[in-house]
Structure formats: structure tokens, C-alpha cells
Amino acid sequence: MTPKFLSRLTSTYIFPSFQPSVTQPSALVLAAGLGLSTFMPLAATNSQIASASQKTQLISQGKKVEITLVSYAVTKAAYEKIIPQFVAKWKREKGQDVIVRESYGGSGSQTRAVIDGLEADVVALALALDTEKIEKAGLIKPGWEKEAPNGSIVTHSVVALETREGNPKKIQNWSDLTKPGVKVITANPKTSGGARWNFLALWGAIAKNGGSDSQALDYVTKVYRNVPVLPRDAREASDVFYKKGQGDVLLNYENEVILAAQQGKTSPSYTIPQVNISIDGPVAVVDKNVDKHGTRQVSEAFVKFLFTPEAQREFAKVGFRPVNSAVAKEVGNKFPKVAKLYNVQSLGGWDSIQKKFFNDGAIFDKIQSGRR
């Protein structure tokens, strides 16, 4: 990992005397089950780094193993609970300590970082399009969608309209977002996966509810005229709304609204539009990196653990709609039902969506140029 990516890893601990070798792959010490999950060793020369086959042999002998999870901003609260459970489980079953390093940010920015050299073992991004970009860069093998349960989709959510306490602007549905004087907060879909879901939800509010593309374009253009700023990711958009007090309504993941209320940032004043998009979050092992690091076994086990009832309950606790059917039944009363739920496939799939909406010069750029 090159030094320029040090800042992307959170809760990082660096030991100046760290000298990795074949017999001592890490000087980091982790007690199994500790909640501190993110560590970053100093960059080492090629001569100091064990080969993948040597690392694999060390792992089989019970030495510590380190993996890096790269994800998008709003998943952090869930993984902070899930990772210690996996670490403890792996210790019980394999007798081996696992160090999980974490990096969070806008999904698009995280994707570019991985392609540029951030050596993720596992990526859990906001949309399959970002995972496909890493695949096209040669880091993930084709067919990754079949390598984990549920088509490798680990969480569901929908778009929520979060308002100020008491909803003074009386915002109830998509149509209210175009009203004069209503300020809408959403992130930039050029840098944020969450914001792409927001954009597609706005588009589908018309196009998937009997309207034409031209009517959808007119509607979405009007909404963005009411958008005063475009933060880089969903977390920054939340901060603009919560901390800076800007906007009358925040387009947000339902899970983010629920989590914010749990943390006391705001009262849970929101509505779930009855025409909505299924926000599907994928997870994948980064094949080239796990083979380089000798971490395939533990990385694949971590991915599979995310689909277990234990992990799915943790996702549900912070507001994600679980993909595990048993857990979904357990928490069914927590989430409002959506009358008309559609997915990206019904909009043509991510390749078509990217070309139509988000490529340079595509629909979003044209909407933005009209706002200037």
C-alpha cells in the first residue's frame, strides 16, 4: 500500500519499529474480540514482504492475519459491531487472530482509491456499478455476484424524505420537492453512490409511476433547482442537514435516518415515499489483492459471515433492511411497506444507467449546467 492512502484508513495505529518479515508478518498485537479493528502498518519494501504462498503457509500455522475492508460512509456503524463478532468467531474456530482494517468514504471515491492502489481485501460499496469498475480494472474476477449468497447483495434500503421536526414545509411525497422555497439536500451523484440512488429514486418517481422520460427529466431538473449545495457523500450531506442546519428536506438512506435518530442527532421526522427504489448494497472479495496478501480464506469467510443472522441483525439495528429472510421477518414491523418498489434492472441495469445519467455530458451534467 502506498503512503498516499494512509489517510483513508480510520483508527490507524503505526508502530515506528515495525519490520515485517517472513517469520514475523506483523508487530501489531490484537486481543481476539477487541472492538478496535483498524490498524495500518508502515509501508514496506518488496524484500520485506512475504510472498502470497509464504503468507498462506503462515496463516495455516496460526499466525495473525490482516485484511482491509473498504466501504462507503454510512455502513460504518454496522461494521463496528459486526467485525468484533467475526474476529471472535474466527478465533474460536481457527485459533487465529484477525485484524480488520477499515476505510470509509463516498462510494465513488473509494472505488477510485481501490483501483489506484488502496489494497482492499473486501469491498462493500453502495452500488454494483462501483464493484464492476473494480472488476474492469482487473482486480475482481468476473462472476463475483455468484460468490456470495443473494447475488452478493448484503443489504437493502430505500430512499427516505427527512424533514425538520414537525415538518413545517409539509413535505409528504416526491411532488413536494419542487415547491418554491423548499430546499433539498442531497449529495453529488458524481462522487457518491448514495446520491446516485437518490437521483434514480427521483427519476423513478415519475418514470416508474406512469410518466415518460421527458416528464421525469422535467421533474428532476426542478428538484435540483431547489438543491443549494452538493456534498461529496451521504455522510457529508447528513452533516449539512444536521450540523449546519441547511435545507428543509434531506434525501437519505432510510437506514441513515434511523441511525441518526438513534444517536440523538435529530427527531425521526421522515416519510418513505410509496414509489421507491430498492437500494441494494453489494459485497465482494478483491481477488488480486487477497491472492497477493494470502488472505483469501479469511476474506471469503468474512463476506459469508455478513449474510448470517448475527450480522444481518446488526445491519437491521442501524436501519438496513436485512436480506436474510428469517431476520427480515423478525424485524418486519420496523420498516414501512412500500407499495411500488423497483430496482436498477428495471431501469436498464447499471451500465445503461451510467451511460444515460452519470457519464460526462449525460443527463445529470446537463441538469447541472442548466442550474448555473
Side-chain angles (χ1 to χ4, degrees):
M1 186 178 295
T2 56
K4 72 177 181 177
F5 294 116
L6 291 178
S7 63
R8 288 190 174 275
L9 292 164
T10 60
S11 304
T12 299
Y13 291 78
I14 299 178
F15 292 78
S17 61
F18 175 77
Q19 294 291 332
S21 65
V22 173
T23 57
Q24 186 183 0
S26 174
L28 299 175
V29 179
L30 178 72
L34 280 181
L36 294 176
S37 58
T38 312
F39 296 80
M40 175 62 192
L42 290 174
T45 64
N46 290 336
S47 64
Q48 291 174 310
I49 300 175
S51 67
S53 61
Q54 289 171 319
K55 288 182 179 179
T56 302
Q57 183 178 4
L58 288 170
I59 290 170
S60 68
Q61 294 172 351
K63 302 296 183 179
K64 286 185 281 291
V65 59
E66 303 172 15
I67 63 174
T68 298
L69 167 69
V70 173
S71 191
Y72 60 107
V74 298
T75 64
K76 183 178 180 181
Y79 283 116
E80 285 178 341
K81 300 295 185 182
I82 292 170
I83 287 171
Q85 293 184 39
F86 173 75
V87 168
K89 182 175 185 290
W90 189 262
K91 179 68 172 180
R92 288 194 307 270
E93 296 179 355
K94 305 294 183 180
Q96 184 180 41
D97 292 328
V98 181
I99 297 168
V100 181
R101 302 176 295 192
E102 303 160 65
S103 175
Y104 301 98
S107 188
S109 300
Q110 294 290 77
T111 299
R112 287 190 295 273
V114 172
I115 292 171
D116 288 343
L118 177 56
E119 294 190 2
D121 296 278
V122 176
V123 289
L125 301 170
L127 61 168
L129 175 65
D130 287 341
T131 311
E132 290 169 5
K133 289 179 181 177
I134 299 173
E135 175 191 334
K136 290 176 182 177
L139 299 176
I140 295 176
K141 294 178 182 178
W144 58 269
E145 303 94 329
K146 300 177 182 178
E147 297 299 320
N150 196 47
S152 293
I153 299 300
V154 71
T155 58
H156 293 309
S157 194
V158 293
V159 176
L161 306 182
E162 183 172 11
T163 63
R164 297 297 174 189
E165 188 170 1
N167 194 8
K169 293 293 181 73
K170 308 301 181 185
I171 297 165
Q172 299 293 336
N173 215 323
W174 298 117
S175 59
D176 297 323
L177 303 184
T178 62
K179 291 180 177 179
V182 171
K183 299 300 181 184
V184 180
I185 303 298
T186 182
N188 188 340
K190 303 285 278 193
T191 57
S192 167
R196 294 190 187 193
W197 289 113
N198 291 347
F199 184 98
L200 295 177
L202 292 170
W203 189 271
I206 304 301
K208 303 304 294 183
N209 197 33
S212 65
D213 272 10
S214 62
Q215 290 172 322
L217 176 60
D218 179 67
Y219 167 73
V220 176
T221 300
K222 290 178 180 177
V223 172
Y224 275 90
R225 286 175 186 162
N226 283 349
V227 176
V229 294
L230 284 171
R232 287 187 57 83
D233 60 42
R235 179 67 65 190
E236 289 186 14
S238 295
D239 287 345
V240 167
F241 189 76
Y242 301 137
K243 296 181 180 179
K244 297 183 179 180
Q246 296 184 32
D248 303 299
V249 57
L250 173 68
L251 303 191
N252 209 352
Y253 288 156
E254 177 188 42
N255 59 278
E256 180 73 356
V257 179
I258 293 172
L259 179 63
Q262 291 174 354
Q263 295 175 339
K265 292 181 179 179
T266 183
S267 297
S269 180
Y270 70 97
T271 184
I272 302 298
Q274 288 301 292
V275 178
N276 219 309
I277 191 165
S278 178
I279 299 173
D280 299 334
V283 63
V285 167
V286 184
D287 295 289
K288 186 173 182 179
N289 291 342
V290 298
D291 289 340
K292 176 182 177 181
H293 302 156
T295 55
R296 178 173 290 279
Q297 183 183 13
V298 66
S299 297
E300 290 181 346
F302 176 69
V303 167
K304 290 181 180 178
F305 182 76
L306 300 180
F307 294 87
T308 63
E310 301 98 303
Q312 287 287 302
R313 289 188 186 102
E314 296 299 337
F315 281 122
K317 286 177 184 176
V318 296
F320 287 99
R321 297 185 178 218
V323 301
N324 180 286
S325 58
V327 179
K329 290 181 181 178
E330 290 176 13
V331 300
N333 293 335
K334 180 177 180 178
F335 302 101
K337 296 188 182 301
V338 176
K340 187 176 291 187
L341 190 68
Y342 58 94
N343 57 26
V344 294
Q345 285 72 33
S346 70
L347 292 170
W350 279 116
D351 286 342
S352 175
I353 287 169
Q354 176 67 23
K355 182 178 180 181
K356 181 176 181 178
F357 297 112
F358 305 122
N359 276 351
D360 290 344
I363 285 177
F364 178 74
D365 280 353
K366 290 177 180 177
I367 290 173
Q368 283 298 95
S369 64
R371 293 176 65 227
R372 298 187 183 103

